[in-house]
Amino acid sequence: MRIGRVSEVEARAVLATHNAHKVAELRAILAPVIAGWRDEWLVGAADMGVDSPVEDGATFEENALLKARAASRATGLVAIADDSGISVDILGGAPGIFSARWCGRHGDDAANLRLLLDQLADVPDRLRGAQFVSAAALVTPDGEEVCELGCLRGVLTHAPRGNGGFGYDPIFVPEGSQVTTAEMSAERKNSLSHRGRAFRALAPALARYLAAG
């Protein structure tokens, strides 16, 4: 069911990320749930010349709100952000909020994935449980804040499979599936992903502000 009614094309929001994959993925997630959705309503922080703040929060929620606040202050727009990662059971929830820089460099997906696989090399299938976690935050120029959490349980493979998605998608098989999220179509992945769940929960709040814009 579609949510809300968006009025004019002039309304815009900024997504507090410099990751083009996330911008495209979020547009696809929001299109089915916000009436009259247009991709041009949502712009990435890089397109607005907004720098990334230091992510020094202790939780996914804190980091998502931190990024959204910074983007809203810099642009004067409604800002949305997510902080996502993978939490591995046998590692006590790590990499967690450090997922994007697990190898010591921010955003090196291939190196992050290799390091995690090396750390789990001798871990048997029965102990390879994990979950993707995403906190989705919305901050308005007048200071209203909303944050929603989405999770997806699954297990980790021993080697990458699939060419879709990004990050740890090639080694994550959701519960009830036989394929990794990198082997799924974008539509299938978005329908069940942690980020999809978090942003669908956030969609009603975003729809209200797009309509008011």
Side-chain angles (χ1 to χ4, degrees):
M1 182 174 67
R2 289 176 177 262
I3 300 168
R5 179 179 295 278
V6 178
S7 55
E8 299 298 325
V9 178
E10 290 81 7
R12 291 197 303 174
V14 58
L15 176 62
T17 184
H18 287 239
N19 186 327
H21 292 293
K22 284 191 177 183
V23 176
E25 184 174 280
L26 185 54
R27 286 171 172 166
I29 288 168
L30 293 174
V33 295
I34 293 183
W37 175 263
R38 293 174 183 246
D39 282 351
E40 57 265 31
W41 286 335
L42 182 65
V43 294
D47 296 324
M48 300 293 288
V50 177
D51 292 332
S52 299
V54 176
E55 297 178 30
D56 55 2
T59 65
F60 290 112
E61 293 94 332
E62 288 179 11
N63 281 331
L65 283 165
L66 185 154
K67 289 185 279 189
R69 288 170 188 148
S72 185
R73 283 195 303 268
T75 63
L77 297 173
V78 173
I80 54 178
D82 90 293
D83 196 54
S84 303
I86 193 164
S87 295
V88 181
D89 297 349
I90 201 166
L91 297 181
I97 61 172
F98 303 108
S99 295
R101 51 189 185 275
W102 193 233
C103 69
R105 299 182 299 278
H106 192 283
D108 190 336
D109 286 356
N112 288 332
L113 190 151
R114 283 196 303 271
L115 176 57
L116 185 58
L117 282 180
D118 287 346
Q119 292 169 325
L120 300 175
D122 298 324
V123 176
D125 291 348
R126 62 185 175 83
L127 297 177
R128 297 179 77 88
Q131 65 178 350
F132 273 136
V133 182
S134 175
L138 179 148
V139 173
T140 72
D142 59 4
E144 181 172 345
E145 298 184 350
V146 182
C147 192
E148 302 286 352
L149 195 67
C151 300
L152 179 65
R153 287 289 305 173
V155 296
L156 300 180
T157 62
H158 291 267
R161 290 171 13 204
N163 298 313
F166 56 95
Y168 298 92
D169 282 334
I171 61 170
F172 185 84
V173 178
E175 286 184 345
S177 177
Q178 299 299 315
V179 299
T180 68
T181 43
E183 294 175 294
M184 295 178 175
S185 67
E187 293 77 14
R188 175 59 179 157
K189 177 191 166 185
N190 290 340
S191 73
L192 55 81
S193 76
H194 55 307
R195 190 172 294 110
R197 293 175 180 183
F199 275 106
R200 280 190 291 273
L202 194 71
L206 177 59
R208 285 198 306 274
Y209 284 96
L210 288 175

